Amino acid sequence: MYHPEENPWKITSSKNIYDNPWINVTEHQVINPSGNPGIYGQVHFKNTAIGIIPLDDELNTYLVGQFRFPLNQYSWEIPEGGGPEGTDPLESAKRELLEETGLKASQWTEIQRMHLSNSVGDELSIIYLARGLSQFDAEPEDTEQLIVHKVPFADVYQMVCDGQITDSVTVAAVLKVQLLLLENRL
């Protein structure tokens, strides 16, 4: 598909508004694509969002439940977390899977890359399919109170379709795996 190569947004100045170990917020003074002045707030994420969909030979997967502070509600998700900038995303995925579920996998396949909220942030998500699972002890971080359930993949797919699972990384991962199953590519 054709798309213009030149960025129609022109930055006239930038100001750092907020910074912590996970995000940086910058306010840009801009000339927008129509030629008018304006502002644009940009959130830079200092981690890559990593999602892992572990799938065993009987087509069961694992969901992790936890209370999500920004949403003020409980959320069921695939194992996921952050991979620091400059770190191999696959190594981050292996760490997250072990931390949250106690699982290790012998086969890893990257199945999806996506930007999570490209209107305000640059957060990249990489989703992996993990197969050849072995169980070990979970090693959750001290900020995590997790509940882990082994669930038939078909039930998780239905939870996504019914809107019971709303986490975007989980929704994308489940829909991608369902497509791969329908196409006999797994």
Side-chain angles (χ1 to χ4, degrees):
M1 290 180 158
Y2 168 78
H3 62 85
E5 295 295 322
E6 188 174 317
N7 182 351
W9 292 84
K10 306 296 181 216
I11 298 172
T12 59
S13 67
S14 299
K15 179 181 176 185
N16 187 28
I17 302 296
Y18 179 78
D19 189 62
N20 71 27
W22 303 278
I23 63 170
N24 174 272
V25 179
T26 303
E27 180 179 284
H28 300 284
Q29 298 298 317
V30 299
I31 303 298
N32 67 30
S34 65
N36 295 314
I39 64 169
Y40 210 111
Q42 179 183 16
V43 181
H44 167 66
F45 287 81
K46 297 179 181 181
N47 288 297
T48 299
I50 302 292
I52 308 100
I53 188 150
L55 196 62
D56 69 16
D57 293 338
E58 291 78 38
L59 298 183
N60 295 300
T61 192
Y62 293 76
L63 290 179
V64 176
Q66 63 183 309
F67 195 88
R68 287 296 191 178
F69 183 88
L71 302 177
N72 196 31
Q73 69 183 40
Y74 206 80
S75 178
W76 286 101
E77 307 160 1
I78 61 173
E80 58 187 52
E85 290 177 311
T87 302
D88 178 4
L90 179 56
E91 292 307 311
S92 296
K94 290 176 180 180
R95 176 186 43 78
E96 285 295 335
L97 183 62
L98 181 62
E99 275 181 14
E100 295 190 357
T101 66
L103 293 170
K104 290 185 180 181
S106 62
Q107 302 160 10
W108 290 86
T109 306
E110 181 181 317
I111 61 170
Q112 189 70 47
R113 284 183 181 232
M114 60 186 191
H115 289 99
L116 298 182
S117 186
N118 61 6
S119 63
V120 296
D122 62 1
E123 188 173 24
L124 172 67
S125 176
I126 302 174
I127 302 170
Y128 294 92
L129 175 66
R131 305 292 307 263
L133 305 175
S134 300
Q135 187 68 59
F136 296 86
D137 291 331
E139 303 170 0
E141 295 176 6
D142 63 355
T143 60
E144 298 175 317
Q145 289 184 329
L146 308 176
I147 297 173
V148 179
H149 284 296
K150 181 178 177 178
V151 184
F153 178 80
D155 293 353
V156 175
Y157 173 70
Q158 195 58 54
M159 291 172 73
V160 166
C161 291
D162 293 344
Q164 295 173 47
I165 294 176
T166 60
D167 172 68
S168 61
V169 173
T170 302
V171 169
V174 169
L175 293 178
K176 181 67 177 254
V177 168
Q178 178 67 19
L179 179 62
L180 293 171
L181 287 168
L182 289 172
E183 293 177 347
N184 280 333
R185 294 186 357 188
L186 286 184

